[in-house]
């Protein structure tokens, strides 16, 4: 029951954030996150990247070939 409530709250939050944003930029941002996830595998935090797309309304689009733009989403495995 609690998990359904949390899921509903998260979905509503995502909806509210995307209403005020340019959907094309958010879509591009999320597609780039998916591409980087395919390229870097477990070294890339795809979910964190997608959450960032929603949080910043697609204004910060990651570029898989630009380390500075994807640095917040990279992790190290030792």
């Amino acid at each position: 029951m609690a998990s359904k409530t949390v899921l509903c709250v998260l979905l509503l939050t995502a909806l509210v954030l995307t209403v005020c944003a340019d959907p094309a930029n958010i879509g591009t941002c999320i597609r780039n996150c998916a591409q980087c996830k395919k390229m870097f595998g477990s070294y890339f935090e795809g979910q964190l990247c997608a959450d960032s797309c929603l949080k910043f309304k697609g204004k910060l689009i990651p570029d898989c070939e630009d380390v500075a733009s994807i640095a917040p989403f990279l992790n190290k495995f030792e």
Side-chain angles (χ1 to χ4, degrees):
M1 182 72 169
S3 63
K4 287 183 182 180
T5 303
V6 171
L7 181 61
C8 286
V9 168
L10 289 174
L11 288 174
L12 286 174
T13 302
L15 179 63
V16 168
L17 289 174
T18 57
V19 166
C20 301
D22 181 3
N25 285 349
I26 292 175
T28 300
C29 186
I30 291 175
R31 280 190 298 278
N32 283 13
C33 290
Q35 181 64 34
C36 293
K37 180 67 178 176
K38 287 178 186 176
M39 287 176 67
F40 298 110
S42 58
Y43 292 102
F44 188 80
E45 295 290 334
Q47 184 63 47
L48 181 61
C49 182
D51 291 342
S52 175
C53 292
L54 292 175
K55 180 178 179 182
F56 296 110
K57 300 174 186 171
K59 293 181 181 171
L60 303 173
I61 297 176
D63 179 356
C64 303
E65 296 179 357
D66 178 17
V67 176
S69 74
I70 62 170
F73 314 117
L74 296 174
N75 59 43
K76 297 179 187 176
F77 287 104
E78 298 181 39

